[in-house]
Amino acid sequence: MNVVRLEPLLSMAGVLACLAFVLGMFDVKLRQQPLGPHAPPPPVDVSERDGRLTVEVFSKNGPKRPLAGATVRVFWEQRGSYFLAGTADSDERGAAALKGIARGALWVVAEAPGYARSSTQLVLADQPRQVRLELPKAHELEVSVRSDDTGPIERATVLVSGGDPLPYGALTSAAGVARFTRIGPSPWTVKAAAPGYESVTRSGITGNETVTLRRLGSLEVRVLRPDGKPAPKATVSIAGAVLWPARSSETDREGKTLVVGLLSGAYDLKASLGSLVSDTRVGFELGRGAREQLTLQLYPGRMIHALVSDGEGEPVQGVPNADVVLVEQGLGSFPWRGRTGKDGQVRLGPIASGPAALSARAEGFVGRSAVAVPEKPEGPVRIALLKGATLHGEVSDSKGRPIDGASIEVIGSDTYGLPIAESPELARFGRAHFEWALPGPTPLIPAGELGVMPGPVPPIPRPGLLGRSSFTDDLAADSTDTFEPWVTRFDGTFSVRPVTPGRVRALVRHPAYVEGLSEAVTLAPGGEARVKVTLYAGGSLEGRVVSENKRPVGGARIDLVALRGTLERSTVSADDGTFAFAAVPSEVALSVARPDDTLSVALREEVRVAEGEKKRIELVLPALRGAVSVRVRDARGAPVETAQVSVASLDPKAPVRRTAFTDEQGRVSIADAAGISVRVVVEAPGYARTEQQHERAPETLEVVLRRGVIVEGRVTAVRGRRPVAGATVSVIGEGLRKSALTDADGLYRVRDVAPGAVRVVVEHPDYAGAELTTRVESTQRDDRPYELKAIDLDEPAELSGRVVDPEGRPVAGARVAVGVAPAYLPVGALPAGVAISDANGAFTLRGTRAGNLEIEAYSADFGRGSVTVQAESGRATKDVEIRLPGERAADDSAAAGGVALTLGERGDEPSVEVVIVQVSPGSEAERAGVTPGDVLVSIDGHAVRDMKEARTRLGGPVSSDVVLSIQRGGQLVKRRVSRESVRR
C-alpha cells in the first residue's frame, strides 16, 4: 500500500516562521530588516521622516532605577505591517534618543539583560515625544513536550506569550525540554507543535509545564473501477479546512493509498483515472488521531469543451492564452485549470455528473465567473469576456494641492452586481497563483513515514508582528507578468486599466492621509470615466485598554472600522495597554477582543475624531460577565441532549455571539452572557425551534422544547391529475427554512416545523413556481403529520424583452423580477425568478406564473421601473420593454459587506418610515428572522431617519454584526444580523 504523510505544512510553517521572527527580530543584535517579510521603502516624503522620540527605560520591580544599555527599537506601521524605523541604546540615565523617525503610528519595544521586554504604542507627529518604559524582572519557564506514545519530542516548537503580545519561542532539546529565561510575569499561554502531532494550546500557566501531543490521524482510501475491481495508479486528491492547497497521491496495485499525518476535521476527497472519475466525497469527518477507511467508486466522467470569446457578438472571435477554471457543484476543492489555444478553446475534465461552472480571464479583458455548464452541452460552452475599461482621476489634499504616490484600488459592482476589488497586485497574484496551480494538486511521493513533495514547496504565509500573511506577496514575486502600479503622478493624476465594467469607485490610500473614495461612476466595456478625490489628513487616535480595576491589558486585539467608507485596521495593545492609529477618519468604531479570546469581540465603542485632532481614549474592558446556565428539557421534563443553544447579544456595545450544545443532562453554560440583552435560540432534531428574548439574561435559564410538527402535502400539475416529482418544497417561518423534495407520487414531508404562520414555496424547473401562506397546527401526536392542501403547479410562462434608460438606450446589469426586483442579494447564484439584463439590455424570465403580472427592473444607476404584462401558460411573451427613470439609487454603500435587504420609504418628512420590502432567500437576514414588512427603527442604537442613512449603517466589514431594532405588528423586536458579501 502506498503510504504518504501529509504534514499540516501551512500551520507548522507558520509557527516556525513566527519562531524565526521572534528569535531573529529580538536578538540583542537585531538585524536591520523590517518586521514585514518584504518591506518596501516607506512611501512618505523625506520631510515626514523628521520625528524625534526619547524613550526612558527603567526597572519596574523594586526601586525604579534607570537601565543603561537597554536596546530600544521603533517600528513604523503601515497598513498592518511594521517596518524598523530606528534603533538606539539607553545611556546611564536610561534615555535612548531617536531621530529621523517617520511620522505616524509607532510601536516602541525595549529590552535589557536580566529583564523581560516591554512595549508601548503612540502616534508621532511633527513635535518631539517622550515616553517611559518599565521593564519587569525576567522570569524562567521550562516546557516539556512529550508524545502520547513515544516519550520526549525533540525539536518541537514552543511559543510562550503573556502580557507582552509578542511571543517568545524555542525548540525542545533531545530531552523534549524548551527553556525560557527572559519572559515576563505569569500567567502565560503555551503553544506546542511538532511534525506528525496535533498542536496544543494551554492558558493560565504559572510554572513549569509538561505538554503531551497526540499523533495525527490517517485515512486509507480504496479506489474501485466501474466493474468493482481495484483501480491501481488512480490519483486521489484530498483537501480540507486544515489542509490547503489540495494534495494528491497515487494508489498501489490493490487500488489503495494511505494518507497519514492528518489533523482532525472535515476533508473532501476525489479520485480519477484517465477518463474515469469519482463523485467528490464532501466533508468526510476525521477525528483526533483516528484511523479511518474510505472507498471511492470510479465511473465514466465527462469532458467539458470551453470557448472564451471577445464579447457576446457574432461572428465569434476566440481569445487565446486565456486562463480557464472548471469547478463542480459551483464551489469545489478540486478545480480543473487550463489555458486556451489560438482558437480560444480548451478541454477540461473529466468531471462527474451534476452542476458545474466555468470561469475565465485574459490580459486586456475582465474576468468572468460562474458560467453554468449544461448537463449535456451541445458544443462548446461559451464564456464571453468584456474589454477592460479605463478610469482616470485626480487626487488632491483639502487645500487643492496634488498628492503624488497615492495608491489606487477600484471597488464597486460589475454589471451582474458582483463585487469588484481590483489592483495590479491582486491581478499579479491571481495570475501567479493560476500558474502555480495549473498542474493540479501537488503530488506526494511515498517515502516510508514521510511524504516528499517534488519540486519547490508552495509559498507559505510568513507572519509579521501581528500574524499578517504575505502569501500574496510571495506568489506575486514569482510571477513573470508585469503590472504597472496604480499610483498617482507628480501632478496627482492617475489612469488605471483594465477595470471591470460596472458601477465603480476609486479607493485612494496614502500613509499620511485618511483613505478617500470617489463618487460612483459607470464604466462601459472599453469605456472611460473620470473622478476626483480629496484626501484629508484626519486625526490621530491614541488609547489604552484597561481592565475594570484600571490595570493595563496587553495583547488585546483592537479593530478600527470607519462608519462611512471601507477603512479597516487592526492592531494589538502593547504590554502597557497602549495602541495608536494615525490618519483616522471622523467616525470610527473600535472593537476590542480579550487577549485570551481574540476571535470574540468583548467591547465596541464608536468614536468621533475631528480633522487634525489628537484624540486620546481609554477603553475599559469589562470583566467577564457571569455565565448563563441553560437547561433544555422536553414537554415531559426529560433533558434534551445535544440541543444547539445559540445566544446573540442585542446590545451593540456587547457583541456576544455564542453557540454550544447541551450535555446528557440537557445543560450547557454560555460564558460572558449574563446581564445583557440577548436572543436565545434553541433547536434539536425532532423538536420545533424555540426562541426567547431577554432584556437582562438571567444566570439560569430553562427552555422547554416541544415536538416539531411533521408537515405533509402533495404537489400536482394539470389541475391535480398529475403528480410532480422532484419539486423543491420550502417551509419558511421565523427565519427558519426547511426544504424537501417531492417523490414519484408528488408527496413531500418536512419535519420539525414549529406551529404558527408559515410560507410554503414550491419550485420546479418545468413548472411555474407557487407560493402558499398558511398556518401549521399541532396534531397532538408526534407521529401524526399535519396535512397541507395540495399545491397545483401551472405550465410556466416565459417573458422576454429589454430594459432601457429614459433615452431608450439599453441598460446592462439590471435585475428583473415579478413584483419586487431586489436591490441587494447575497453573492452567489441568483435566486429563482430573478434575471439580469445583458449588454443589449435583453432579459428572459422563465418559469413565471400566468396572469396579469407587474414586472419590475432595478438598476443602481437608473432606478426602478415597471410594466404590467399579461402572461399566458405555455407561451412566450416577447418584446416587453421596461423603461427606467434614470434616478440613481439612494441606498448605495461602499462598504465591503452588507445586509441583503431591499428597503423602501413610506410617509412624508419628518415622519418617514424605512420599510423592509424584500428579504433575500437564504441570506443572513432571513436566518436572523427579519421579514418583509418590518419597519426599521434603529441600527446599532442609531435612529433611522431615511433610506440612505439606513443603507450606510447596514454596510460594514464582512462577518461583522449589526443590531436591528424593528417594529413588527405593534411590537419592538431586535435582531443581530451578520453582514455578508452582497450583490449590489
Side-chain angles (χ1 to χ4, degrees):
M1 181 188 305
N2 282 357
V3 181
V4 296
R5 182 181 187 84
L6 289 182
E7 300 290 358
L9 287 175
L10 293 179
S11 299
M12 280 301 302
V15 172
L16 290 172
C18 183
L19 172 64
F21 159 75
V22 172
L23 296 180
M25 292 295 183
F26 290 93
D27 280 339
V28 175
K29 301 297 184 183
L30 179 68
R31 296 188 297 273
Q32 298 297 307
Q33 60 183 25
L35 270 70
H38 298 299
V44 296
D45 189 82
V46 175
S47 63
E48 294 176 329
R49 282 182 253 167
D50 56 358
R52 290 175 292 168
L53 177 66
T54 301
V55 181
E56 296 179 338
V57 186
F58 282 74
S59 62
K60 184 174 183 178
N61 307 103
K64 293 181 172 52
R65 59 184 182 83
L67 296 180
T71 301
V72 177
R73 300 178 183 87
V74 178
F75 298 97
W76 179 70
E77 186 271 340
Q78 183 196 3
R79 300 183 193 173
S81 294
Y82 286 78
F83 304 85
L84 183 63
T87 303
D89 293 334
S90 62
D91 56 22
E92 64 279 358
R93 297 180 292 108
L98 298 105
K99 299 179 180 179
I101 306 298
R103 300 183 199 174
L106 304 178
W107 194 318
V108 184
V109 181
E111 59 183 344
Y115 293 86
R117 65 174 174 244
S118 183
S119 61
T120 190
Q121 295 186 56
L122 55 90
V123 174
L124 185 65
D126 55 347
Q127 297 298 318
R129 290 288 299 269
Q130 182 173 321
V131 295
R132 175 168 169 155
L133 288 175
E134 295 182 353
L135 308 189
K137 283 287 188 182
H139 290 69
E140 296 185 357
L141 173 68
E142 285 190 1
V143 179
S144 299
V145 183
R146 301 180 60 84
S147 166
D148 60 346
D149 57 1
T150 61
I153 301 177
E154 185 178 3
R155 297 189 65 77
T157 301
V158 181
L159 295 178
V160 176
S161 57
D164 186 344
L166 307 175
Y168 298 80
L171 297 176
T172 56
S173 64
V177 177
R179 292 181 173 85
F180 300 86
T181 60
R182 293 177 56 193
I183 60 177
S186 63
W188 302 295
T189 296
V190 174
K191 299 180 182 181
Y197 296 86
E198 291 192 3
S199 59
V200 170
T201 300
R202 291 186 181 174
S203 301
I205 305 300
T206 58
N208 294 342
E209 184 74 7
T210 297
V211 179
T212 301
L213 303 185
R214 294 178 55 174
R215 288 280 184 183
L216 294 168
S218 65
L219 184 57
E220 181 185 294
V221 184
R222 185 184 183 205
V223 182
L224 301 179
R225 297 180 63 88
D227 57 6
K229 295 180 180 180
K233 295 189 176 300
T235 298
V236 176
S237 300
I238 180 172
V242 292
L243 179 65
W244 181 91
R247 304 290 199 274
S248 67
S249 176
E250 190 174 275
T251 58
D252 60 13
R253 290 180 298 178
E254 298 178 353
K256 297 180 181 179
T257 186
L258 178 64
V259 183
V260 300
L262 291 171
L263 290 164
S264 62
Y267 292 90
D268 296 346
L269 297 104
K270 183 174 184 174
S272 62
L273 178 63
S275 62
L276 302 177
V277 68
S278 75
D279 288 323
T280 300
R281 180 65 182 270
V282 178
F284 183 86
E285 290 287 344
L286 184 68
R288 293 184 61 184
R291 307 290 189 264
E292 299 285 356
Q293 295 181 335
L294 176 69
T295 299
L296 298 175
Q297 179 83 45
L298 298 174
Y299 59 89
R302 53 188 181 131
M303 300 297 295
I304 303 301
H305 188 185
L307 168 62
V308 181
S309 66
D310 182 352
E312 298 177 341
E314 300 290 343
V316 177
Q317 182 177 350
V319 178
N321 205 35
D323 297 337
V324 183
V325 179
L326 171 65
V327 181
E328 298 175 79
Q329 305 298 327
L331 180 65
S333 300
F334 314 109
W336 289 95
R337 297 174 174 87
R339 189 160 283 150
T340 58
K342 294 181 180 180
D343 57 356
Q345 301 187 39
V346 64
R347 286 174 61 85
L348 299 172
I351 62 171
S353 59
L358 284 162
S359 301
R361 66 178 170 206
E363 187 174 354
F365 296 83
V366 294
R368 175 83 182 275
S369 60
V371 176
V373 175
E375 184 65 29
K376 295 181 179 179
E378 297 179 0
V381 180
R382 186 173 176 181
I383 312 169
L385 299 186
L386 299 178
K387 289 282 190 183
T390 302
L391 183 64
H392 306 282
E394 178 184 342
V395 180
S396 60
D397 64 14
S398 58
K399 297 181 180 179
R401 295 173 299 194
I403 299 175
D404 67 312
S407 62
I408 312 297
E409 183 179 341
V410 175
I411 62 173
S413 302
D414 65 12
T415 54
Y416 300 95
L418 294 172
I420 295 173
E422 296 179 336
S423 68
E425 292 78 11
L426 291 175
R428 185 168 64 246
F429 165 68
R431 184 73 173 183
H433 182 270
F434 187 91
E435 294 278 1
W436 172 73
L438 189 59
T442 307
L444 287 102
I445 300 173
E449 278 288 310
L450 178 65
V452 180
M453 287 191 298
V457 176
I460 294 168
R462 291 179 287 181
L465 183 60
L466 306 179
R468 181 178 173 89
S469 171
S470 65
F471 188 35
T472 57
D473 294 335
D474 291 335
L475 272 182
D478 295 333
S479 174
T480 57
D481 292 328
T482 57
F483 291 85
E484 183 180 350
W486 288 1
V487 296
T488 55
R489 310 177 185 98
F490 285 108
D491 60 355
T493 61
F494 66 86
S495 294
V496 297
R497 66 177 72 83
V499 174
T500 300
R503 195 159 187 256
V504 302
R505 303 171 187 262
L507 173 60
V508 184
R509 295 189 178 101
H510 191 285
Y513 298 90
V514 177
E515 70 177 33
L517 273 173
S518 72
E519 291 295 321
V521 295
T522 300
L523 285 172
E528 297 184 357
R530 294 185 177 276
V531 295
K532 186 173 182 179
V533 182
T534 301
L535 297 186
Y536 295 89
S540 64
L541 180 60
E542 293 186 23
R544 184 184 300 269
V545 182
V546 298
S547 62
E548 283 193 328
N549 58 7
K550 300 299 182 178
R551 298 187 63 180
V553 178
R557 194 193 81 228
I558 303 103
D559 298 327
L560 180 147
V561 178
L563 295 181
R564 302 175 186 274
T566 65
L567 178 67
E568 298 178 37
R569 296 185 195 165
S570 294
T571 188
V572 295
S573 59
D575 62 315
D576 62 353
T578 56
F579 64 91
F581 294 101
V584 176
S586 58
E587 294 181 275
V588 298
L590 295 174
S591 300
V592 187
R594 304 181 194 278
D596 55 352
D597 187 10
T598 57
L599 298 180
S600 300
V601 176
L603 174 68
R604 183 179 183 273
E605 291 280 357
E606 293 187 5
V607 182
R608 290 179 176 271
V609 183
E611 178 77 5
E613 182 183 6
K614 299 178 180 179
K615 184 144 190 156
R616 296 180 182 273
I617 186 174
E618 183 176 81
L619 298 177
V620 181
L621 200 59
L624 277 172
R625 306 172 191 89
V628 175
S629 178
V630 183
R631 178 174 179 250
V632 182
R633 61 180 181 87
D634 62 17
R636 296 173 297 178
V640 179
E641 187 178 0
T642 66
Q644 177 179 295
V645 179
S646 300
V647 175
S649 165
L650 301 177
D651 182 352
K653 290 190 175 184
V656 174
R657 184 187 284 272
R658 300 273 194 277
T659 298
F661 295 86
T662 57
D663 59 18
E664 62 275 6
Q665 301 299 319
R667 297 183 182 275
V668 67
S669 181
I670 306 296
D672 200 25
I676 60 174
S677 178
V678 296
R679 178 179 182 234
V680 182
V681 178
V682 183
E683 48 192 322
Y687 297 89
R689 187 170 77 167
T690 298
E691 174 187 327
Q692 295 183 4
Q693 187 167 317
H694 299 270
E695 280 303 313
R696 290 181 61 86
E699 293 184 356
T700 59
L701 186 63
E702 186 168 286
V703 180
V704 178
L705 292 184
R706 303 193 181 278
R707 287 290 178 179
V709 180
I710 301 173
V711 175
E712 284 189 350
R714 190 164 185 257
V715 179
T716 61
V718 196
R719 291 175 292 281
R721 295 196 296 269
R722 179 189 302 167
V724 176
T728 301
V729 182
S730 299
V731 179
I732 307 162
E734 278 298 317
L736 186 63
R737 176 183 290 259
K738 291 181 173 290
S739 300
L741 292 175
T742 55
D743 60 16
D745 297 320
L747 299 174
Y748 65 88
R749 170 175 284 201
V750 179
R751 297 182 178 274
D752 304 343
V753 177
V758 297
R759 283 191 306 124
V760 182
V761 178
V762 183
E763 297 171 346
H764 192 283
D766 298 332
Y767 297 91
E771 184 171 324
L772 171 69
T773 299
T774 184
R775 288 189 64 86
V776 171
E777 305 292 346
S778 175
T779 61
Q780 305 304 320
R781 282 185 52 178
D782 297 344
D783 59 346
R784 178 182 297 170
Y786 181 83
E787 294 189 10
L788 296 178
K789 67 178 184 181
I791 299 176
D792 195 66
L793 302 184
D794 294 328
E795 193 174 355
E798 181 177 296
L799 301 170
S800 62
R802 295 172 71 238
V803 181
V804 298
D805 66 11
E807 284 72 41
R809 293 171 298 201
V811 175
R815 292 180 195 146
V816 185
V818 176
V820 177
Y824 279 65
L825 293 169
V827 169
L830 287 172
V834 178
I836 301 288
S837 62
D838 63 17
N840 299 315
F843 70 89
T844 301
L845 278 174
R846 297 182 174 88
T848 63
R849 65 182 186 276
N852 202 35
L853 306 178
E854 183 179 20
I855 311 301
E856 185 178 78
Y858 167 78
S859 165
D861 282 319
F862 297 96
R864 293 182 179 273
S866 63
V867 65
T868 301
V869 176
Q870 183 65 40
E872 299 182 27
S873 295
R875 299 189 63 180
T877 301
K878 300 181 179 180
D879 301 325
V880 176
E881 183 176 281
I882 306 176
R883 189 174 293 264
L884 302 184
E887 301 172 355
R888 284 197 167 188
D891 56 346
D892 187 36
S893 171
V899 181
L901 303 172
T902 300
L903 305 178
E905 291 181 343
R906 67 184 179 199
D908 299 319
E909 293 184 356
S911 301
V912 174
E913 288 185 333
V914 177
V915 184
I916 297 172
V917 177
Q918 191 259 1
V919 181
S920 295
S923 66
E924 292 291 339
E926 184 188 69
R927 283 190 279 272
V930 182
T931 60
D934 290 341
V935 177
L936 275 175
V937 176
S938 67
I939 300 173
D940 279 341
H942 299 275
V944 173
R945 292 177 294 185
D946 55 43
M947 190 165 63
K948 183 176 182 180
E949 181 187 47
R951 179 53 65 192
T952 299
R953 292 197 178 276
L954 288 174
V958 174
S959 298
S960 65
D961 288 351
V962 60
V963 176
L964 308 181
S965 294
I966 52 183
Q967 195 77 27
R968 178 186 298 169
Q971 293 184 333
L972 187 65
V973 179
K974 291 184 178 181
R975 292 290 185 265
R976 177 173 287 273
V977 184
S978 290
R979 296 182 176 98
E980 58 189 321
S981 296
V982 291
R983 290 173 177 253
R984 292 181 166 86

